[in-house]
Amino acid sequence: MRKIEQRIYSILAPATIQIYPFVTSCERIAKLLFEDEIPIDVIKLHRDIYSVIGRSLSKSPNSISRSVERLLKKMWETSPEAISAIAGKPLDRCPRVKQGLLFFAYYFYMERPFFQN
């Protein structure tokens, strides 16, 4: 089991929700940001993330999008403190999807919170 999966399961009980679309979205955004060096502002979730993952999973990009949004929202509702820890600062609301994916991708690629002091 990958670190990101372990962290998600530490926030949510296993088998409560499908995590694979979220995990692969984080991995894809990390690849684009840190290996391909594409700026975050240039990355389009639907075109660059959801379409690619949807093809590999034989699902529509909209289905992947909904899965990612649901998981992020569920993690926020379960433990906003855990999401804030991954972000590296207290958050007063659930991050937007692109921001949430960025926080997780950064946390697991760089092995530190996004807003680390």
Side-chain angles (χ1 to χ4, degrees):
M1 184 180 302
R2 294 173 281 199
K3 289 181 185 179
I4 189 168
E5 292 171 306
Q6 291 173 335
R7 184 67 171 145
I8 291 170
Y9 284 137
S10 75
I11 298 169
L12 300 172
T16 59
I17 195 167
Q18 172 69 327
I19 70 165
Y20 192 69
F22 187 86
V23 171
T24 53
S25 294
C26 288
E27 291 171 342
R28 175 82 178 141
I29 207 165
K31 179 191 178 307
L32 294 173
L33 286 170
F34 305 118
E35 294 173 20
D36 298 344
E37 298 181 357
I38 298 173
I40 189 69
D41 296 336
V42 176
I43 297 172
K44 302 294 182 199
L45 289 179
H46 200 274
R47 180 192 68 206
D48 300 323
I49 309 294
Y50 303 146
S51 294
V52 174
I53 294 167
R55 279 193 299 274
S56 70
L57 298 177
S58 299
K59 295 187 177 191
S60 74
N62 290 337
S63 174
I64 300 299
S65 172
R66 285 190 306 271
S67 294
V68 169
E69 289 174 31
R70 274 194 301 267
L71 183 69
L72 185 59
K73 184 178 178 188
K74 181 79 170 168
M75 285 190 293
W76 177 259
E77 290 170 353
T78 303
S79 182
E81 303 82 21
I83 305 300
S84 292
I86 288 168
K89 72 175 188 177
L91 301 174
D92 56 355
R93 61 182 169 83
C94 184
R96 294 180 183 266
V97 175
K98 192 172 190 178
Q99 189 180 35
L101 288 172
L102 174 62
F103 292 160
F104 272 84
Y106 190 90
Y107 187 81
F108 289 100
Y109 191 86
M110 303 300 270
E111 298 183 345
R112 61 182 181 178
F114 186 79
F115 295 107
Q116 186 165 16
N117 296 333

